[in-house]
Amino acid sequence: GVSLLVAGTDGDGTPRLYQVDPSGAYFGWKATAIGKNYINAKNFLEKRYQDDMELEDAIHTALLTLREGFEGEMNSHNIEVGVVRNGKFNVLTPAQIQDYLDEAN
């Protein structure tokens, strides 16, 4: 089966993140991970996530989490980063992702 992470906003603009399992069950999260090595990624997020994080810090935390379990070289062409901001979902461009990766190094 396939699990999905679905991000969006409530009617009042509150960001939401849900995990949907193959059974149809769904769970709300503030931060989570699915896929290979998800247990280590969830532990990493539990240690670093804070409710009052700025968006920039959240993106850096997401990239650090991804890097922990990434096989091979992680670069702006083999990952995607999506952001829910002001009620809209946007995917960062490779150039934007590269800027964040450069800052993290």
Side-chain angles (χ1 to χ4, degrees), residues 10-77:
D10 279 347
D12 65 359
T14 304
R16 299 289 180 197
L17 175 65
Y18 292 96
Q19 175 183 344
V20 183
D21 284 345
S23 68
Y26 62 94
F27 312 92
W29 298 96
K30 295 193 179 199
T32 194
I34 59 175
K36 186 175 182 181
N37 208 15
Y38 77 96
I39 293 172
N40 290 338
K42 279 185 161 184
N43 289 336
F44 191 89
L45 286 168
E46 284 178 11
K47 292 176 188 170
R48 288 168 179 77
Y49 176 82
Q50 298 172 6
D51 281 337
D52 60 351
M53 290 178 96
E54 295 291 328
L55 179 60
E56 302 296 310
D57 293 333
I59 292 171
H60 283 289
T61 300
L63 290 172
L64 288 171
T65 304
L66 192 56
R67 183 175 281 164
E68 283 291 306
F70 204 84
E71 292 181 12
E73 180 187 353
M74 189 171 88
N75 62 57
S76 62
H77 298 289

